[in-house]
Amino acid sequence: MLAVLRRRGIVSGTVLDAMAEVPRDLFVPEHLAELAYEDGALPIGDGQTISQPYIVALMTEAAELKPESRVLEVGTGSGYSTGVLSRIAGHVFSIERHDSLAIAARRRLADVGYLDNVSIVVGDGTLGLPEEAPFDAIIVAAAGPRVPEALKAQLALNGRLVMPVGSAAGFQQLNCIVREGETDFRTEVLAPVSFVPLIGAQGWQR
Ligand code: SAH
């Protein structure tokens, strides 16, 4: 898997180390474990998917995490990307709207010993987590029609928000938004991607 990530352009040593450390086979359904180290998305129940390793690496690299970073993740899913983020950042708050997925993710993260710097919250991630803001990085693992204003408001100065924006039908652009001032945001487009929809007050209405 690491060879594929390098070939596709991931250069950050910290990101590659984190991808090497997290056992992805423990985050996919047992009958799909033999596919865990292929570079593809896989179903995890509730109509949701565990993200493709390359996309997890790309989003993590774009977030430019530091050991002290406080990170908000929207869309815990299997908990795999949460685990990757937790190997690099200081603390990861991850919000999931399906409580069944949140419970399973929390259990897996506990099993691999990653819960010390991870908090899993059930709720609508389009509203962020105002009580824990500001965040040095916000990673949204589901695609919305636009970047939620609530999330922009919870981004620290020089913080980075990585999120797929576009249609609900699986064609989106991965955006990286950098907060350069109180009301000043710069957007970079990273790659075309295909994510499940972000459903919530500042996302799709279902
Ligand atoms: N990164 C995850 C994959 C996430 S898939 C992994 O590595 O496994 C996207 C997830 O976003 C799904 O689990 C979906 O239920 C969740 N989701 C969609 N809209 C949401 C919202 N408004 N708040 C929180 N989670 C949301």
Side-chain angles (χ1 to χ4, degrees):
M1 187 175 93
L2 286 192
V4 172
L5 299 179
R6 281 202 196 89
R7 179 148 32 84
R8 296 196 65 175
I10 303 298
V11 294
S12 160
T14 33
V15 172
L16 291 166
D17 287 350
M19 297 294 296
E21 181 178 344
V22 179
R24 191 168 185 261
D25 54 311
L26 302 183
F27 290 84
V28 304
E30 244 170 78
H31 69 284
L32 297 174
E34 72 273 20
L35 299 176
Y37 297 98
E38 304 287 324
D39 192 28
L42 293 168
I44 55 170
D46 280 312
Q48 306 303 324
T49 53
I50 179 172
S51 307
Q52 178 191 354
Y54 167 64
I55 297 295
V56 173
L58 182 67
M59 293 175 89
T60 306
E61 189 170 66
E64 295 186 4
L65 304 177
K66 297 180 183 69
E68 64 277 11
S69 296
R70 287 165 57 82
V71 181
L72 175 68
E73 178 183 48
V74 176
T76 314
S78 68
Y80 171 70
S81 52
T82 319
V84 171
L85 296 168
S86 78
R87 299 305 81 206
I88 306 174
H91 199 98
V92 183
F93 299 88
S94 186
I95 312 184
E96 170 56 53
R97 64 188 283 270
H98 285 291
D99 56 356
S100 54
L101 292 178
I103 289 165
R106 192 186 286 120
R107 182 179 39 73
R108 292 190 193 99
L109 290 162
D111 287 348
V112 290
Y114 295 173
L115 270 192
D116 288 352
N117 64 334
V118 170
S119 309
I120 306 288
V121 180
V122 177
D124 178 4
T126 67
L127 302 176
L129 213 52
E131 62 275 27
E132 299 291 351
F135 299 100
D136 303 300
I138 301 178
I139 310 256
V140 185
R146 68 192 69 83
V147 178
E149 287 302 319
L151 297 184
K152 288 165 78 173
Q154 292 172 37
L155 198 57
L157 191 61
N158 297 315
R160 302 170 77 84
L161 189 163
V162 185
M163 172 176 170
V165 177
S167 77
F171 299 98
Q172 305 107 19
Q173 298 287 351
L174 189 60
N175 285 1
C176 178
I177 287 107
V178 184
R179 186 168 200 168
E180 296 190 321
E182 187 53 33
T183 57
D184 192 8
F185 294 86
R186 174 167 54 87
T187 301
E188 288 165 30
V189 177
L190 302 181
V193 287
S194 177
F195 274 81
V196 299
L198 178 71
I199 295 169
Q202 295 188 28
W204 298 103
Q205 308 305 312
R206 160 129 297 285

